[in-house]
Amino acid sequence: MTGLKIAEYSVPVPVIQGGMGVGISLSGLAGSVAACGGVGIISTAQIGYREPDYDTNPLEANLRAVGKEIRKARRIAPHGVIGVNIMVATREYEAYVEAAVEAGADLVISGAGLPMTLPAAAAAGEEKKKAAGSRADYGSENGPKRAALAPIVSSRKAAEVICRYWKKKYRAVPDLLVVEGPLAGGHLGFSAEQLEDIPALHYEEEIRSILEFAAEYSKAAGKKIPVAVAGGIYDRADMDRALALGADAVQMATRFVTTWECDAADAYKQAYIRAKREDIVLTKSPVGMPGRAIRNAFLERAAKERIPHGRCHGCITSCRPGETPYCITEALIAAVRGDVENGLLFAGENAWKARKMEHVAEIMEELSRK
Ligand SMILES: Cc1cc2nc3c(=O)[nH]c(=O)nc-3n(C[C@H](O)[C@H](O)[C@H](O)COP(=O)(O)O)c2cc1C
């Protein structure tokens, strides 16, 4: 196994911990993964939910928390690679990208939509970072570096569209492609019909095709675009299969939930450990995309009736607060706080495999062993 190079960043273990919102992957998890030689990813989805002014001024609270969490993760892993996951469907998406880059994120990963404006928003963040010299106090040895930019795609077509647009509009090339397959947790880039028969998707062929495209495009652009494969990668054997296909790295999320370092409440982790295979289900999220989660009283209730919600925190562009079947932000915050019957517990297809709590260092040891 070789390390991973993403733009100017060297990653000893080719493992990216997937961003998990709301609040599941913050500085605790991301810092620990980065300290063990992988890439730690903080999810910016409603990241400020614990800030005192979150209810009155959610955007400001969230943008402030982006910087706070990056700095906290950096203290855990002063020399590690730490990035953020920012969903394109986030309201004020560009403001989050700017805030993360300004605060010194090494990498921005963006999916849940096509990140067409990512290079421009990141460039604005770089300008602010330069002006403030904001990376200087992070103990970095080599001084500020440009944040690497990585779209998440589920098809070759999406990769092509993004690459073509970035080239034409910004003369930019992605620094990494994350290919997310149908076994992932959270929102999925597939239709409900496609997810009805996952084997029929022959997703490995799609991965091969994306790898082929990335290789051709890298050659034409004169810059290697590494590819990370995500979705259902749970152990070393899964990882080795992905690397054997030709991937440069894997992105894993579900496996890291049941760690002592994960930022969710203990009850959330215990729900993973209790879950059986049949408890991992597909659901239609109010965001309009299918999602994968653990079956609980909340999902049963949501299937039957509209769940009233409180104040809107302006999370997702596609949500109509007056019509939404439930508030996804409220449901995800309830879950991360440990209310596992009244919350939405996103989980990957393999969440039932969790048997016990682990330390991030143990998982990273399994994934990096020669
Ligand atoms: C609890 C949970 C929350 C997630 N939240 C996000 C998110 O906010 N944004 C995103 O792009 N992906 C999100 N994902 C997807 C992961 O980043 C990752 O790509 C995917 O789950 C990989 O599959 P695995 O969980 O089987 O390893 C989430 C996944 C889980 C399990």
Side-chain angles (χ1 to χ4, degrees), residues 17-22 24-25 41 43-45 85-87 109-112 152 178-181 183-188 229-234 251-257 268 272 292 332 344-351:
Q17 160 256 310
M20 292 179 277
V22 170
I24 313 287
S25 71
I41 298 290
S43 162
T44 67
N85 176 298
I86 309 177
M87 288 184 291
I109 298 184
S110 270
I152 303 177
V178 178
V179 179
E180 196 179 77
L183 303 179
H187 290 122
L188 303 167
V229 169
I233 296 172
Y234 197 79
Q251 176 172 290
M252 298 167 60
T254 295
R255 176 73 184 269
F256 287 108
V257 170
Y268 193 102
Y272 266 50
R292 185 173 278 111
L332 291 173
L344 174 60
L345 280 76
F346 275 152
E349 179 67 25
N350 283 333

